[in-house]
Amino acid sequence: MTLLAVGINYNTAPVSIRERLAFPAEILETALLELWNIKEISEAAILSTCNRTELYCASITSNQQALIDWVAESKQIKAADFTPYLYYHTDKSVCRHMFRVACGLDSMILGEPQILGQMKTAYQAAYEAGTLGKQLGKLFQHTFSAAKKVRTDTAIGFSPVSVAFAAVQLAQQIFDKLSEQTALLIGAGETIELAARHLSQQGIGRIIIANRTYDKAHTLATQFNGYAIALAELPRHLAEADIVVSSTASQLPILGKGRVESALKQRKHKPMFMVDLAVPRDIEAEVEQLPDVYLYTIDDLQATIDQNMDSRRQAAEQAEEIIDTQVDYFLTWLRSQRAQSTIRDYRSQAEKTRDEALQKALGLLKNGLSPEEALNRLAHSLTNKLIHTPSIQIREAAENERHDLIAAAREIFKLKKT
């Protein structure tokens, strides 16, 4: 049995290809069963995210052509249109790849944690579809253990590298207690959601979310016990904000120098920390000239992000060492499993020999032979039968000068020299 992985990701394929090969949740079970029903495949799982699609399989062959043909048929796309973007892994390489993916070492943002959750979703989907077996199931479990060890033993997740987190990190340096501050977030996109999440995790006192579409602001605010306002209400609430984070798609500034100056007067010149994460800017550059305002742009945060990225790269080197060890552990288990059929057959043969010898001994007892004599004959007969075939094979090995087999026999049976 061979472990196989075939996939594409953000490094190898443009989004136009990735979206054509994606497997949304609503079709995942059907796709898994179709993949599993391929003659050569005994186990199957599919990981599908916006940045990658990967097929993990246990197969009787190391040839990936069956997987390529299935993808082409399943997605109604010519194989020639996507095969240039594929990468392939087998056995040891599959293990290493899955471990690296789960740890965020193969992600667009080094060390990002979301991929582990997506990997667990892929495992759960395959488990529920019934397409996992012993080998692939164990590999997933070992993958999760490896990712946990990397997260625990390295700092790969301790230095977030999003601009949203960098903004919150900077706010913590300016304010002693975020629990006593009010944050005003302008926008309702992914960056603002991340900023709200980080602020909430750091115990911010109050969150106000302003957006052009009130419903979007309300939906986001309810996640963090915040207060939603429409963008038109911004002038009435700006003075309440100790922290302002803005990230919209507006082509014109939302906050000008005059409006911020008015808010500062209402605040009696209590300092205001402002972060403009928008391109083009949401906050006029002249606001920086105002006393009691700390204004930062996305460029100003780049140094923090770069520093955190350096920290993650150092952690990634440690993670690779951990993965090396974890791969060896799994391959040791895998090799032991591949001997199971031989062990099972050997045990079955020994049990058959035992049962035959036992039946003969019981027959002798019924015919009046003494128990002591019956046991002696049982022991003698069983010993002869168990050593008969190995003795013949060892003798033939010697005749054919197969010293390797003789050495193996001594090792297997743990024979001491006499």
Side-chain angles (χ1 to χ4, degrees):
M1 195 64 64
T2 300
L3 292 173
L4 296 178
V6 175
I8 58 169
N9 64 21
Y10 68 96
N11 268 327
T12 67
V15 67
S16 58
I17 296 295
R18 298 203 306 274
E19 62 189 8
R20 293 183 70 183
L21 298 189
F23 290 90
E26 59 269 19
I27 68 166
L28 189 55
E29 182 178 1
T30 301
L32 282 165
L33 292 172
E34 289 177 358
L35 180 57
W36 182 60
N37 281 322
I38 294 175
K39 182 180 178 181
E40 295 89 345
I41 303 301
S42 60
E43 303 179 43
I46 299 174
L47 173 66
S48 185
T49 74
C50 59
N51 282 332
R52 70 179 66 243
T53 293
E54 296 182 343
L55 313 180
Y56 309 127
C57 300
S59 172
I60 61 173
T61 174
S62 59
N63 189 350
Q64 301 96 351
Q65 192 58 47
L67 298 181
I68 294 171
D69 293 341
W70 175 77
V71 171
E73 182 179 354
S74 174
K75 291 300 180 181
Q76 296 295 294
I77 177 174
K78 293 179 180 178
D81 290 345
F82 66 87
T83 49
Y85 305 103
L86 293 177
Y87 46 82
Y88 309 94
H89 298 281
T90 58
D91 289 333
K92 182 177 181 179
S93 180
V94 173
C95 306
R96 175 176 297 282
H97 178 72
M98 287 181 65
F99 292 178
R100 295 187 79 255
V101 169
C103 294
L105 298 180
D106 195 52
S107 295
M108 186 178 293
I109 298 176
L110 181 65
E112 59 92 5
Q114 287 82 9
I115 188 62
L116 179 56
Q118 292 165 333
M119 184 76 86
K120 289 181 177 179
T121 299
Y123 166 79
Q124 189 64 30
Y127 177 80
E128 292 175 358
T131 60
L132 285 182
K134 190 171 185 178
Q135 289 190 17
L136 207 53
K138 183 72 171 181
L139 177 55
F140 268 103
Q141 293 302 326
H142 211 105
T143 298
F144 303 148
S145 297
K148 181 180 179 180
K149 187 167 183 61
V150 166
R151 295 276 168 193
T152 302
D153 294 0
T154 76
I156 197 160
F158 295 167
S159 304
V161 290
S162 69
V163 290
F165 185 85
V168 174
Q169 200 174 51
L170 198 54
Q172 288 178 291
Q173 295 174 18
I174 292 174
F175 298 102
D176 292 335
K177 294 182 180 179
L178 289 185
S179 59
E180 298 176 359
Q181 314 305 321
T182 292
L184 171 61
L185 309 182
I186 306 173
E190 182 180 352
T191 300
I192 291 299
E193 181 178 351
L194 281 172
R197 190 175 306 282
H198 290 312
L199 284 165
S200 179
Q201 290 171 349
Q202 298 305 318
I204 189 71
R206 183 170 172 239
I207 291 178
I208 302 172
I209 296 181
N211 192 54
R212 199 174 302 279
T213 305
Y214 173 81
D215 288 345
K216 287 185 177 180
H218 179 72
T219 299
L220 185 56
T222 53
Q223 295 183 44
F224 305 103
N225 297 319
Y227 177 68
I229 61 173
L231 206 57
E233 300 177 78
L234 196 57
R236 298 211 321 261
H237 293 274
L238 184 59
E240 301 171 37
D242 304 295
I243 299 167
V244 178
V245 181
S246 187
S247 179
T248 76
S250 175
Q251 296 302 301
L252 297 172
I254 291 172
L255 290 177
K257 182 179 179 182
R259 183 167 291 176
V260 176
E261 196 168 22
S262 297
L264 285 170
K265 287 179 182 178
Q266 293 179 55
R267 290 170 58 81
K268 297 180 181 179
H269 295 280
K270 183 182 176 183
M272 184 181 287
F273 170 63
M274 309 183 80
V275 183
D276 189 350
L277 301 179
V279 179
R281 293 185 181 189
D282 281 340
I283 303 172
E284 285 184 350
E286 289 76 13
V287 170
E288 190 176 14
Q289 300 169 7
L290 295 172
D292 306 312
V293 170
Y294 300 90
L295 175 61
Y296 293 84
T297 68
I298 195 168
D299 290 341
D300 296 325
L301 299 180
Q302 195 59 48
T304 299
I305 293 171
D306 289 344
Q307 184 179 4
N308 287 350
M309 277 302 299
D310 287 341
S311 175
R312 285 200 174 193
R313 289 189 188 99
Q314 292 173 13
E317 293 177 6
Q318 295 175 283
E320 296 285 6
E321 294 176 4
I322 292 172
I323 286 173
D324 286 341
T325 302
Q326 295 299 313
V327 168
D328 289 340
Y329 286 162
F330 178 76
L331 291 178
T332 299
W333 174 86
L334 190 61
R335 285 192 293 268
S336 72
Q337 294 304 299
R338 289 172 177 173
Q340 286 301 309
S341 61
T342 301
I343 294 171
R344 191 164 49 247
D345 292 344
Y346 181 58
R347 176 177 291 276
S348 177
Q349 180 178 290
E351 288 174 348
K352 182 181 178 183
T353 301
R354 175 203 65 196
D355 291 343
E356 289 173 353
L358 181 59
Q359 288 303 314
K360 282 187 177 182
L362 291 173
L364 291 173
L365 284 172
K366 287 181 181 179
N367 290 332
L369 196 67
S370 70
E372 183 178 357
E373 182 62 23
L375 283 174
N376 281 330
R377 290 193 184 187
L378 171 62
H380 182 74
S381 173
L382 189 56
T383 301
N384 283 340
K385 287 186 176 183
L386 288 176
I387 68 172
H388 177 70
T389 300
S391 296
I392 291 174
Q393 294 298 109
I394 292 170
R395 191 174 293 114
E396 289 183 356
E399 292 171 356
N400 295 317
E401 296 187 349
R402 290 294 307 276
H403 304 297
D404 57 325
L405 286 181
I406 296 173
R410 298 197 69 90
E411 184 175 351
I412 288 172
F413 295 117
K414 292 192 177 298
L415 301 179
K416 296 180 179 178
K417 290 186 177 181
T418 59

